[in-house]
Amino acid sequence: MDEPFYKTAAIGYDELFARATNSFIPSLLRSARIAPGQRVLDVATGTGAAAQAAAMIVGASGSVIGGDISPSMLESAKRNLKNQPIGLVSFDAHALPYEDCQFDAVICQLGLMFFSDPIAALSEFRRVLRPKSWTAVSVTTTPERSLFARVGAVIARYIPEKAEKLNRFFSIPDATRLHSLLRRAGFQDVDVQLETRLIKFSSFDDYFSGVAKGAGLSGQEYVQLPPDMKLVVRDEVWRGLASPNAGEPLTIEIDVLIGSGER
C-alpha cells in the first residue's frame, strides 16, 4: 500500500474511524494478557491509540513501542502521543528490527489484513516474543459487517482494476482463516473471538461525509470517481445499509475478529 493512502488515512482516521475501532482495543489488550511492568510492541500502530491504551496498563515499570511502515501515520502518532513515554519506530512488520525474545506482548490493531504475507509477519511477532508470552491481533471481516470499507467494496465491483487494493480489508474474512494463520506461524493455544459493536450516526449524510471528503482508502478512491459514478456508489451504499431516509438516524453493526496465541 502506498504512502498517499497512508497520508490521507492518517489525517482522517481519528475523526472518522476512532470512535468505532478504539472500542475494540480493550478486548485486544486482554487477549494479549498485557499487565503492569511488561514490555509491549504495537505493530502497525497507526495513530497510536492501541499503544496509548497499552501504556496505561503497563505503567511506569513497563514500556511500549509503537511501529509503523508509514511516516505519515507515525507523524500523527507523535502528535497524539506527545509527552507520553511511548517509543515510535519506523519498521516493516515482515522484518522487525529486534532481537529474539524481547517483548512480553505483541499487538496489532486492524493491520494484519493489509500485510502482503501475514504468516511471515506473525512469525516475526512470535520471534520477538519471550517464551510463554502472547500476541493478539484484530482484523475486519466482510464488507457488509464493516464500517467504511463497504464503500470500497462497492467501488471494486464497478471498477475491477481497483478490486485487489480495496479488497485487502477483507483478506482475513473469518475465524477459520485467522486461526489458521496464527497456527501456521507457530502459535499455541490459539483463540479467535468475534466482537460486534453498534455504531450510531445522526444520518446517512453524517456517515458518508468523511468518505466524500476523501478520508481513508475508500474515501481516496471515491473522490477520484466521475460524478455520475459517485452517485451510483453512494446510492448503493445507502441502499445496502437499509437506511429508510438519508436524514434519519443510522445505526451500523460492525464485526471485528480478535485472535490470540501463545509463543
Side-chain angles (χ1 to χ4, degrees):
M1 197 170 295
D2 54 20
E3 179 59 19
F5 157 66
Y6 281 119
K7 185 173 182 179
T8 304
I11 293 170
Y13 186 90
D14 287 327
E15 177 185 353
L16 295 170
F17 304 102
R19 62 171 161 168
T21 59
N22 287 3
S23 68
F24 295 98
I25 290 176
S27 296
L28 180 76
L29 303 187
R30 284 194 298 272
S31 294
R33 277 69 165 175
I34 293 177
Q38 289 186 336
R39 189 180 190 210
V40 178
L41 179 65
D42 178 24
V43 179
T45 193
T47 59
Q52 184 176 35
M56 294 177 66
I57 295 175
V58 303
S61 61
S63 64
V64 176
I65 295 175
D68 207 289
I69 198 171
S70 161
S72 298
M73 284 293 190
L74 286 174
E75 283 302 314
S76 291
K78 287 177 183 178
R79 289 192 296 271
N80 290 343
L81 303 176
K82 187 177 181 181
N83 300 322
Q84 298 187 44
I86 297 172
L88 293 171
V89 181
S90 176
F91 60 58
D92 184 338
H94 302 87
L96 297 176
Y98 302 105
E99 298 294 329
D100 296 356
C101 306
Q102 294 294 304
F103 296 94
D104 300 298
V106 177
I107 57 174
C108 183
Q109 162 82 340
L110 297 174
L112 186 68
M113 61 274 193
F114 294 118
F115 298 165
S116 60
D117 189 340
I119 295 177
L122 288 170
S123 297
E124 280 290 276
F125 294 8
R126 185 177 182 276
R127 179 183 66 78
V128 301
L129 275 170
R130 293 174 177 138
K132 303 300 180 182
S133 296
W134 291 77
T135 193
V137 302
S138 60
V139 298
T140 51
T141 58
T142 59
E144 61 274 13
R145 304 295 295 178
S146 72
L147 189 59
F148 294 103
R150 65 181 68 218
V151 179
V154 172
I155 294 172
R157 287 199 292 272
Y158 286 99
I159 308 177
E161 60 267 29
K162 302 284 188 181
E164 192 278 330
K165 177 175 20 175
L166 291 167
N167 288 334
R168 289 181 191 175
F169 284 108
F170 317 112
S171 63
I172 308 174
D174 54 47
T176 300
R177 171 66 171 157
L178 182 54
H179 192 283
S180 173
L181 290 172
L182 287 161
R183 289 287 296 171
R184 290 168 66 189
F187 285 100
Q188 305 297 315
D189 294 327
V190 172
D191 180 68
V192 179
Q193 298 293 327
L194 179 69
E195 299 233 346
T196 300
R197 300 286 187 275
L198 294 176
I199 311 300
K200 297 183 179 181
F201 297 88
S202 62
S203 65
F204 177 80
D205 289 338
D206 176 33
Y207 162 78
F208 205 78
S209 62
V211 174
K213 293 175 183 175
L217 176 57
S218 294
Q220 277 295 278
E221 295 297 337
Y222 179 80
V223 298
Q224 297 179 56
L225 296 174
D228 57 339
M229 184 58 67
K230 286 182 181 178
L231 292 175
V232 170
V233 169
R234 188 182 189 280
D235 183 64
E236 185 167 329
V237 173
W238 174 61
R239 287 185 283 106
L241 289 169
S243 182
N245 187 299
E248 294 181 1
L250 175 68
T251 299
I252 301 177
E253 191 170 81
I254 64 173
D255 288 341
V256 163
L257 291 168
I258 298 178
S260 61
E262 184 182 29
R263 187 189 192 280

